[in-house]
Amino acid sequence: ELINKLNELKSKNFDETEIISFLENDDNSSRIYFGNVQELIKQFEETHEPAKITNETQKTSEERLQETLTKIENEIMTSPPDIKRVEIKKPLEEHSPKTGKKGKSFRFYFSDDEKEETGIIGEKIIYERLKIDYGKESVKWVSANAKKAGINPEGDDNNGYDIHYKEDGSIKFVEVKSSKNEVTAFHISRDEVKFGQKNKDDYEVWLVLNCMSEEKREIINLGNIFKYRTKEESFSNNSNFSVENEKFIINFDFDKK
């Protein structure tokens, strides 16, 4: 029921970020847990305005995406965001899937198109940021999103990572995860896990939070989350993160400095 209601709101031109923020409020997420979805959606519609139909909203999704990517490129070039490096750790307790406060997010309920848009925007941000530090010739965007962005006609999703760059003679492989808010949890595929565990010394997961906001945007290099602390640790049981169900949702904590 929740998925259908969220798609209805999107079809009425309500903003996705506003929907997520509303649902992730502690009181509202509790109401969802107890089955009060209909009442909650009604309250959202009464307290929020859908976006007005303009020439901008009448553009095709491809046109809007290309404009967004160009805008992001200019933002990164003009004011490159800092890159934070953190050490992640497994959460002390399991968190309810209904709340985003500790990393889980209602964004996982949205359509594949919405997730795809967030993904390509996050990868574009990291690609442009890496070019500033290492130069265009040392950075290559290789995922299918690179093909959609018009960067790499041969881009595909069979690599196990999104971008690679050269640092001090070594190739670093980057998997990008992004969010339109501050939620850090993310889905990871079996191929990405396999590649990351195989290339422990040169694989990095980069996180982009608030990817659509130039003012709030954060870039965080998590390093290789699959570089476990002991030989006894594994993907399903380690001190870096916890894994939620068969969808491979990764949850973790880190100290913000």
Side-chain angles (χ1 to χ4, degrees), residues 7 10 16 61-62 64-65 107-121 145 148 180:
N7 288 332
K10 287 292 296 179
E16 176 194 341
S61 58
E62 289 78 10
R64 290 197 298 272
L65 177 60
R107 65 191 169 95
F108 294 115
Y109 288 102
F110 280 91
S111 68
D112 289 339
D113 288 343
E114 296 292 341
K115 298 172 187 175
E116 184 177 302
E117 179 188 38
T118 303
I120 192 171
I121 289 170
N145 282 334
K148 295 170 188 172
K180 290 184 178 179

Side-chain angles (χ1 to χ4, degrees), residues 73-118:
E73 181 174 349
N74 293 333
E75 290 173 355
I76 301 299
M77 290 177 61
T78 303
S79 181
D82 293 334
I83 299 171
K84 301 178 182 178
R85 295 178 182 269
V86 302
E87 183 174 340
I88 67 172
K89 54 189 176 183
K90 188 174 184 176
L92 295 177
E93 58 183 45
E94 294 299 318
H95 309 303
S96 165
K98 301 300 179 181
T99 176
K101 293 301 179 181
K102 288 293 185 180
K104 306 203 178 174
S105 172
F106 286 95
R107 65 191 169 95
F108 294 115
Y109 288 102
F110 280 91
S111 68
D112 289 339
D113 288 343
E114 296 292 341
K115 298 172 187 175
E116 184 177 302
E117 179 188 38
T118 303

Side-chain angles (χ1 to χ4, degrees), residues 71-84 125-134 206 213-215 217-219:
K71 176 175 177 288
I72 285 173
E73 181 174 349
N74 293 333
E75 290 173 355
I76 301 299
M77 290 177 61
T78 303
S79 181
D82 293 334
I83 299 171
K84 301 178 182 178
I125 290 169
I126 298 303
Y127 175 66
E128 296 299 334
R129 185 63 184 84
L130 284 170
K131 286 197 309 181
I132 292 174
D133 284 354
Y134 300 99
W206 288 53
S213 171
E214 183 180 11
E215 293 76 23
R217 186 178 296 145
E218 288 185 83
I219 297 178

Side-chain angles (χ1 to χ4, degrees), residues 27-56:
D27 291 338
N28 293 339
S29 60
S30 296
R31 290 163 67 185
I32 291 175
Y33 181 80
F34 289 107
N36 299 323
V37 175
Q38 191 96 12
E39 175 187 336
L40 196 59
I41 296 301
K42 180 180 179 181
Q43 181 183 341
F44 178 85
E45 291 185 297
E46 291 174 348
T47 55
H48 293 75
E49 291 288 335
K52 295 180 179 179
I53 302 298
T54 64
N55 291 335
E56 184 68 25

Side-chain angles (χ1 to χ4, degrees), residues 6-256:
L6 292 179
N7 288 332
E8 283 181 24
L9 290 176
K10 287 292 296 179
S11 69
K12 295 177 182 178
N13 219 31
F14 284 101
D15 181 75
E16 176 194 341
T17 303
E18 290 186 358
I19 298 171
I20 292 174
S21 297
F22 179 79
L23 294 177
E24 289 180 348
N25 173 280
D26 284 342
D27 291 338
N28 293 339
S29 60
S30 296
R31 290 163 67 185
I32 291 175
Y33 181 80
F34 289 107
N36 299 323
V37 175
Q38 191 96 12
E39 175 187 336
L40 196 59
I41 296 301
K42 180 180 179 181
Q43 181 183 341
F44 178 85
E45 291 185 297
E46 291 174 348
T47 55
H48 293 75
E49 291 288 335
K52 295 180 179 179
I53 302 298
T54 64
N55 291 335
E56 184 68 25
T57 55
Q58 290 175 344
K59 293 179 180 178
T60 66
S61 58
E62 289 78 10
E63 289 173 332
R64 290 197 298 272
L65 177 60
Q66 290 303 321
E67 288 185 359
T68 298
L69 295 179
T70 299
K71 176 175 177 288
I72 285 173
E73 181 174 349
N74 293 333
E75 290 173 355
I76 301 299
M77 290 177 61
T78 303
S79 181
D82 293 334
I83 299 171
K84 301 178 182 178
R85 295 178 182 269
V86 302
E87 183 174 340
I88 67 172
K89 54 189 176 183
K90 188 174 184 176
L92 295 177
E93 58 183 45
E94 294 299 318
H95 309 303
S96 165
K98 301 300 179 181
T99 176
K101 293 301 179 181
K102 288 293 185 180
K104 306 203 178 174
S105 172
F106 286 95
R107 65 191 169 95
F108 294 115
Y109 288 102
F110 280 91
S111 68
D112 289 339
D113 288 343
E114 296 292 341
K115 298 172 187 175
E116 184 177 302
E117 179 188 38
T118 303
I120 192 171
I121 289 170
E123 289 178 32
K124 174 67 171 178
I125 290 169
I126 298 303
Y127 175 66
E128 296 299 334
R129 185 63 184 84
L130 284 170
K131 286 197 309 181
I132 292 174
D133 284 354
Y134 300 99
K136 184 176 181 180
E137 298 303 316
S138 296
V139 182
K140 188 170 184 179
W141 189 359
V142 300
S143 72
N145 282 334
K147 185 175 182 178
K148 295 170 188 172
I151 300 296
N152 181 359
E154 298 179 353
D156 65 64
D157 284 335
N158 297 318
N159 298 293
Y161 65 96
D162 300 313
I163 300 169
H164 65 70
Y165 68 97
K166 186 179 291 186
E167 181 183 56
D168 298 329
S170 297
I171 301 296
K172 299 294 183 181
F173 306 100
V174 176
E175 176 61 32
V176 180
K177 302 299 180 182
S178 52
S179 169
K180 290 184 178 179
N181 51 35
E182 296 182 353
V183 173
T184 57
F186 57 80
H187 163 76
I188 196 160
S189 71
R190 293 181 184 274
D191 286 343
E192 291 161 1
V193 173
K194 184 177 179 180
F195 188 89
Q197 292 187 136
K198 184 179 179 181
N199 297 273
K200 287 183 171 63
D201 293 327
D202 298 305
Y203 186 83
E204 300 170 340
V205 176
W206 288 53
L207 195 63
V208 184
L209 306 182
N210 295 307
C211 65
M212 296 299 295
S213 171
E214 183 180 11
E215 293 76 23
K216 297 181 180 179
R217 186 178 296 145
E218 288 185 83
I219 297 178
I220 304 173
N221 183 351
L222 303 179
N224 189 350
I225 65 175
F226 306 120
K227 201 167 186 178
Y228 307 125
R229 291 175 170 83
T230 68
K231 292 182 179 181
E232 289 72 27
E233 294 188 350
S234 64
F235 175 72
S236 59
N237 183 21
N238 65 81
S239 53
N240 291 343
F241 55 82
S242 61
V243 185
E244 178 189 341
N245 64 40
E246 70 281 358
K247 292 184 178 180
F248 285 6
I249 306 296
I250 303 295
N251 284 283
F252 56 92
D253 289 331
F254 62 88
D255 295 324
K256 290 193 174 183

